[in-house]
Amino acid sequence: MSFRYQQLAAELQQQIELGQYGCGERLPGVRELAKRRSLSISTVVASYRRLEADGYLQANNRSGYFVKARHQPPPLSSALLQQAAVPSLVCSQQIALSLSKAAADPAYMRLGAAVPAAVYLPQHALQKALQQVIKTEPARLMRYEASRGAPELRREIARRMALHGAVVSQDDVIITNGCQEALMLSLTAVTQPGDVVVIESPAFYGLLQALEAAGLKALALPTNAQTGMAPDVLEQALEQWPVKACVLIANYSNPLGSLIPDANKKRILKLLAKRGIPLIEDDTYGDLGFAGPRPGSCLALAPQQDIFYCSTFSKTLSPDLRLGWVIAPKHTAKLEYLKFISNISTAALPQLAVAKVLQSGQYERHLRQVRPQYEAAVQRVSSSIGRLFPPGTRVSQPQGGFVLWVELPHAVDGYALAQQALAEHISIAPGVIFSPAAVTGSAHYRNFIRLNCAIEQDARLERALQTLGQLCQQQLNR
């Protein structure tokens, strides 16, 4: 004779196996299910713990129980990619532009651009804040904002930075039109056309576009899928090449989702400081870790070093606000001038609205809510890849953010797959655009793609992933 909790666990297990609860989906709350089924809370808890022990569920602190991925594909190799690190001019990034047009079309399943769907963003809080600013600051919105940005937002950013160990003056905060402009200003401040800049490989294609626009040479160093750039590899590169700057996504890199351990961050900082090389730190995804406290920035670890700290609210509040910032205390005056001659200033309306969201505490509440949602979304897409893609497919295991770096079987061409997917109204990011020489047919990440997981987790997503898996299989069958 089975106990009631065992019967409930068996029923829930059957529902999961039938797909009524998908991977990463949250089960009803304990109190809710107990009331719905006229059971005690202890019975429901016992059922959930039984399913957790059997590998069907995982508990997220204060967020409930979620369906655990049961068809995970193998992870990427932890070994560094064996490739020659030679400085090269960035070229052919127009491929990214052609693909981004489809990514902006709502008729497409948008798995290509790393843009979160509206369901992952605090729409109500932003709408309310925007309305308040329009009502209370009409005159402010009829003139140029200061080039450094609205003092209200710069103050809130400085306060948040201090919470994570980086004590900065609000006077050193320069508001930009997204993190892309922050990177552009930083590169312009410390380099000249033809200079060599160290970057990670694979690299965020937005950074590659910035390097291409500035006429810089990229020295792309192979990275570890879990721990990011290796200090030993960087040291060898610095001894061999006349590097003028280093650009790094230390916390949850794009596209790998890797996290550089603090010990490695410190070694990297010492190597750069020894040679007087500035670090441009992109911390776009730092607020979106899946577990534990927020990782510290390089700026927090070495506040006196020559560091340009760049970040944005595009992945956490709204991409269309186009709000980012850069902090480099040794270069504030130059950055302000470069910002002024570039586009004078950033619009006041989004700045003042975001300042209100930060002041109210809604931003932190939103982060606590959305982090487990992103983790569940990544797990669900990864599990679907394990079921629907050909054998030999491997995926990254990001520790934060919401993108997956997918290694396809060697015979599959990621760029050809992207073109085929567009015909099916699916956009993906082919691996070649994450390399400085984004040339189709190139062996560099030719059989890789990046997928955005921050989209609505529904049947349409499942169909899109099934289509991608079938297209991969078709290439293999030729």
Side-chain angles (χ1 to χ4, degrees), residues 92-106 108-115 205 209 413-423 425-434 438 440 448-450:
S92 301
Q93 278 296 313
Q94 65 267 25
I95 294 174
L97 174 61
S98 64
L99 292 169
S100 71
K101 293 179 180 179
D105 189 336
Y108 285 74
M109 192 66 183
R110 291 174 279 187
L111 296 171
V115 178
Y205 58 78
Q209 292 160 17
D413 186 304
Y415 182 76
L417 178 64
Q419 298 300 312
Q420 294 166 342
L422 286 178
H425 285 82
I426 303 168
S427 74
I428 62 174
V432 291
I433 66 173
F434 296 85
T440 59
F448 286 77
I449 60 174
R450 190 199 67 182

Side-chain angles (χ1 to χ4, degrees), residues 98-319:
S98 64
L99 292 169
S100 71
K101 293 179 180 179
D105 189 336
Y108 285 74
M109 192 66 183
R110 291 174 279 187
L111 296 171
V115 178
V119 294
Y120 295 96
L121 301 172
Q123 300 174 69
H124 177 71
L126 278 174
Q127 181 182 21
K128 183 178 178 181
L130 288 165
Q131 290 172 341
Q132 289 176 342
V133 172
I134 293 171
K135 182 178 181 180
T136 60
E137 300 276 5
R140 183 92 171 265
L141 305 181
M142 298 300 149
R143 63 175 187 263
Y144 288 123
E145 189 54 72
S147 294
R148 290 192 187 189
E152 296 92 334
L153 180 57
R154 290 189 286 113
R155 180 172 58 250
E156 291 303 316
I157 288 173
R159 287 175 176 174
R160 280 194 56 76
M161 297 289 294
L163 292 175
H164 304 133
V167 178
V168 299
S169 168
Q170 71 179 60
D171 293 335
D172 290 323
V173 179
I174 307 291
I175 304 300
T176 61
N177 294 309
C179 193
Q180 186 76 355
E181 185 182 29
L183 292 172
M184 287 290 298
L185 295 177
S186 301
L187 288 167
T188 304
V190 294
T191 64
Q192 298 291 330
D195 283 348
V196 177
V197 177
V198 164
I199 63 172
E200 300 158 285
S201 181
F204 167 50
Y205 58 78
L207 168 61
L208 294 172
Q209 292 160 17
L211 294 172
E212 182 175 16
L216 298 168
K217 293 181 179 179
L219 181 58
L221 302 185
T223 54
N224 183 287
Q226 287 294 306
T227 59
M229 183 178 287
D232 291 343
V233 174
L234 174 62
E235 184 173 21
Q236 293 173 10
L238 296 181
E239 291 174 350
Q240 188 174 3
W241 304 104
V243 174
K244 297 299 183 182
C246 174
V247 185
L248 200 60
I249 306 178
N251 298 328
Y252 317 124
S253 69
N254 178 2
L256 287 172
S258 60
L259 173 64
I260 300 180
D262 279 355
N264 285 9
K265 289 177 184 174
K266 291 175 182 178
R267 285 189 61 197
I268 289 171
L269 288 165
K270 287 182 179 179
L271 289 170
L272 296 175
K274 180 180 178 181
R275 294 165 175 82
I277 299 172
L279 171 67
I280 300 174
E281 178 181 13
D282 178 350
D283 202 21
T284 292
Y285 295 91
D287 282 340
L288 297 179
F290 297 154
R294 188 196 193 283
S297 63
C298 293
L299 180 62
L301 291 173
Q304 303 305 317
Q305 197 162 325
D306 195 1
I307 297 174
F308 292 75
Y309 177 92
C310 305
S311 194
T312 180
F313 293 111
S314 293
K315 311 301 182 185
T316 52
L317 288 179
S318 170

Side-chain angles (χ1 to χ4, degrees), residues 251-475:
N251 298 328
Y252 317 124
S253 69
N254 178 2
L256 287 172
S258 60
L259 173 64
I260 300 180
D262 279 355
N264 285 9
K265 289 177 184 174
K266 291 175 182 178
R267 285 189 61 197
I268 289 171
L269 288 165
K270 287 182 179 179
L271 289 170
L272 296 175
K274 180 180 178 181
R275 294 165 175 82
I277 299 172
L279 171 67
I280 300 174
E281 178 181 13
D282 178 350
D283 202 21
T284 292
Y285 295 91
D287 282 340
L288 297 179
F290 297 154
R294 188 196 193 283
S297 63
C298 293
L299 180 62
L301 291 173
Q304 303 305 317
Q305 197 162 325
D306 195 1
I307 297 174
F308 292 75
Y309 177 92
C310 305
S311 194
T312 180
F313 293 111
S314 293
K315 311 301 182 185
T316 52
L317 288 179
S318 170
D320 199 51
L321 291 176
R322 303 311 304 138
L323 275 186
W325 70 95
V326 55
I327 300 170
K330 297 179 183 295
H331 304 272
T332 300
K334 188 169 187 178
L335 287 170
E336 182 180 17
Y337 174 70
L338 291 172
K339 170 66 179 177
F340 174 75
I341 64 174
S342 175
N343 50 42
I344 302 178
S345 64
T346 298
L349 177 57
Q351 292 190 65
L352 298 175
V354 169
K356 286 186 176 295
V357 172
L358 295 176
Q359 290 166 0
S360 68
Q362 291 174 307
Y363 183 67
E364 281 298 333
R365 289 195 291 274
H366 168 65
L367 290 178
R368 288 194 294 270
Q369 178 183 7
V370 81
R371 285 176 186 130
Q373 292 176 358
Y374 280 146
E375 182 180 18
V378 167
Q379 288 179 348
R380 180 172 181 178
V381 172
S382 181
S383 178
S384 295
I385 290 172
R387 289 187 293 105
L388 302 172
F389 280 49
T393 300
R394 295 176 176 271
V395 301
S396 59
Q397 295 181 309
Q399 300 170 65
F402 49 79
V403 298
L404 276 174
W405 183 240
V406 183
E407 181 182 3
L408 304 169
H410 188 72
V412 178
D413 186 304
Y415 182 76
L417 178 64
Q419 298 300 312
Q420 294 166 342
L422 286 178
E424 302 290 339
H425 285 82
I426 303 168
S427 74
I428 62 174
V432 291
I433 66 173
F434 296 85
S435 170
V439 180
T440 59
S442 164
H444 229 39
Y445 304 125
R446 180 193 55 79
N447 61 316
F448 286 77
I449 60 174
R450 190 199 67 182
L451 297 178
N452 171 31
C453 304
I455 58 178
E456 294 193 46
Q457 307 287 303
D458 55 17
R460 188 179 174 215
L461 169 61
E462 186 77 0
R463 289 194 298 270
L465 293 172
Q466 184 176 25
T467 298
L468 290 175
Q470 290 171 347
L471 292 173
C472 288
Q473 190 61 55
Q474 289 174 13
Q475 287 197 33

